[in-house]
Amino acid sequence: MGKLIKNHWARLIVLTASIYQIAAALEGFFWPKVFWDFLTTNLDPAVRPIPILQILNLLLGILGLAWEWPLPIFAFAQTAMHRSIEARLAVYPLSALAALLLYQGTNPGIYYLIGLGVYFWGFSEGEVVCPDPWSLPRRKSVNRVGHV
């Protein structure tokens, strides 16, 4: 059996989270609610009358979707930003925080945290994201003198 490529697995988890975050943001426009409103009402101005948190979640969800599923229309594939696990480890905690603040976005926030853990696992084992999406890293050919 082959090795688990953690950045591909994390990509699928974060894709799920970003699609779910977009849906949660759209739902948040119709039913604005902060998840932590049972503790405090200080965060209520972030969702109404101006839907700041919903717009932020929508933008971060679209960014995550464009980053993890690099279609040609996004022009994000084969860039240094697309190949950087470090940049993902810096941006996705912000996406998770924004999702966790919105009532409808608690599940994508948890998915982002799981995806971050898997990305960190792959990063700590030295994995790299290939320039071509969904491809495998090429092995370096070794010339063995005297071996057939």
Side-chain angles (χ1 to χ4, degrees), residues 34-147:
V34 174
F35 180 70
W36 306 101
D37 66 349
F38 60 89
L39 294 175
T40 181
T41 58
N42 291 338
L43 296 173
D44 283 347
V47 292
R48 66 179 163 284
I50 302 170
I52 299 167
L53 193 55
Q54 293 93 319
I55 294 171
L56 184 65
N57 272 293
L58 185 63
L59 293 176
L60 287 172
I62 291 171
L63 174 71
L65 185 64
W67 203 341
E68 298 300 338
W69 192 9
L71 295 174
I73 60 170
F74 294 131
F76 208 59
Q78 299 181 351
T79 61
M81 189 78 163
H82 170 71
R83 292 189 305 268
S84 175
I85 293 178
E86 297 91 345
R88 286 176 168 94
L89 291 174
V91 171
Y92 287 149
L94 301 174
S95 296
L97 177 65
L100 287 169
L101 287 175
L102 192 64
Y103 177 76
Q104 293 88 349
T106 53
N107 285 345
I110 294 169
Y111 296 161
Y112 273 122
L113 293 177
I114 293 169
L116 273 167
V118 176
Y119 265 129
F120 184 75
W121 182 17
F123 175 72
S124 63
E125 289 188 357
E127 281 191 7
V128 294
V129 177
C130 296
D132 297 323
W134 303 108
S135 62
L136 299 174
R138 303 280 181 235
R139 292 185 182 190
K140 294 181 179 162
S141 62
V142 177
N143 292 335
R144 296 182 183 185
V145 178
H147 293 2

